[in-house]
Amino acid sequence: MLVIRFTVRLIIIDNDFYFLYKACMKTILIFGASNGLGKLLTNLCLEKGYAVHALVRRDEAAEELTKAGVIVTKGDALNPEDVAKACQSVPKDSHVFSTLGGSGDKLNQGPSVNYQGQRNVIDAVEQAGLGRFIMITSVGCGVSWTQLPENIRSSIGVALREKTLSESWLQTSGLDYTIVRPGGLLNGDATGKAILTQSSAAQGLVNRKDVAALLMGMIDNEEAIGQTYTCIEPGLTWQKQ
């Protein structure tokens, strides 16, 4: 009788351990993992013990990420088939981040990752049935466009308008999405002073490391679903990096 009870308790302990293990082993799929904010986010996810997948275009970046422990799918975000392959490689309950984009796109230069690449990702995530999607765009997208100085609109306005289109595409999808618009990105150390605000008038700077840390907090934050945030550090000024 004692042996039977002891055996049952072992089964319960093993069962608890299994569910704890499953909870800790979240799968994160990252688009834009090879540089900048996406790379910082990738490193934080690996440190957390998550299973990290990424779509990577460049061979050298793919090799570096693979050595770090990332499960890499080779391909280009501008190729819908490559994006679909990456999305189909992860479980349905995976969380997806996309930090794709840049500020240098110009009109009439073909498909842009700011819109077409992001649209490919949104479509593939939805078609694969991956529910949680967090997209990083920029201050100046959507209604925050009206708060930008004219010189900023002139220099990166095309990229911001394309990112705004990708936001609209996501907002009209069936995904559980969150949009994060960082301010001007700096490479300084994390200060822990960055904030998330829903004020369309918010402008400013923020360190990439602080943005990455706040993005990690989005993973289990159901209250952020369907929301759009601006991420800045009040009072932060530009200094030579």
Side-chain angles (χ1 to χ4, degrees):
M1 190 66 176
L2 288 175
V3 174
I4 294 174
R5 289 178 63 188
F6 182 68
T7 302
V8 171
R9 289 190 65 188
L10 278 179
I11 292 172
I12 293 172
I13 292 171
D14 287 346
N15 195 46
D16 288 342
F17 177 78
Y18 171 76
F19 284 112
L20 178 62
Y21 173 78
K22 290 290 286 182
C24 292
M25 281 300 293
K26 285 185 173 68
T27 299
I28 310 293
L29 172 59
I30 301 176
F31 294 88
S34 61
N35 55 65
L37 178 58
K39 189 171 185 179
L40 292 171
L41 180 62
T42 298
N43 291 338
L44 289 179
C45 288
L46 289 171
E47 290 174 9
K48 198 75 171 176
Y50 297 155
V52 183
H53 293 241
L55 177 71
V56 183
R57 179 172 54 86
R58 295 180 293 112
D59 290 338
E60 58 271 26
E63 182 178 353
E64 178 184 353
L65 288 171
T66 299
K67 287 181 179 178
V70 177
I71 301 169
V72 170
T73 299
K74 280 295 304 310
D76 191 329
L78 291 175
N79 184 331
E81 293 181 357
D82 291 344
V83 179
K85 183 178 179 182
C87 290
Q88 291 162 5
S89 72
V90 298
K92 298 287 187 182
D93 61 351
S94 300
H95 291 63
V96 184
F97 287 90
S98 180
T99 66
L100 293 173
S103 60
D105 294 327
K106 297 179 180 180
L107 288 172
N108 303 319
Q109 287 196 343
S112 160
V113 71
N114 286 320
Y115 173 59
Q116 191 59 58
Q118 291 280 40
R119 176 174 170 173
N120 290 343
V121 172
I122 294 164
D123 289 346
V125 169
E126 191 167 21
Q127 290 164 10
L130 312 179
R132 191 72 176 97
F133 185 85
I134 301 166
M135 184 169 73
I136 295 80
T137 57
S138 175
V139 161
C141 292
V143 295
S144 66
W145 169 266
T146 60
Q147 305 297 319
L148 288 180
E150 184 57 38
N151 64 318
I152 300 297
R153 294 190 201 182
S154 299
S155 60
I156 61 172
V158 171
L160 292 176
R161 290 166 66 190
E162 289 175 334
K163 290 180 181 183
T164 297
L165 290 174
S166 69
E167 287 187 356
S168 296
W169 196 260
L170 177 58
Q171 289 164 336
T172 54
S173 73
L175 296 173
D176 289 339
Y177 73 86
T178 303
I179 296 170
V180 178
R181 300 169 175 166
L185 290 166
L186 303 180
N187 291 321
D189 292 332
T191 66
K193 298 178 181 179
I195 63 168
L196 293 169
T197 175
Q198 293 187 292
S199 169
S200 61
Q203 301 285 324
L205 304 173
V206 66
N207 289 305
R208 285 180 171 86
K209 290 182 179 179
D210 279 312
V211 180
L214 288 172
L215 290 175
M216 291 293 290
M218 293 284 180
I219 293 175
D220 293 314
N221 185 358
E222 294 187 1
E223 293 182 359
I225 293 174
Q227 304 299 315
T228 299
Y229 299 95
T230 294
C231 182
I232 59 170
E233 181 179 327
L236 183 64
T237 58
W238 185 87
Q239 296 179 355
K240 189 173 183 179
Q241 301 290 300

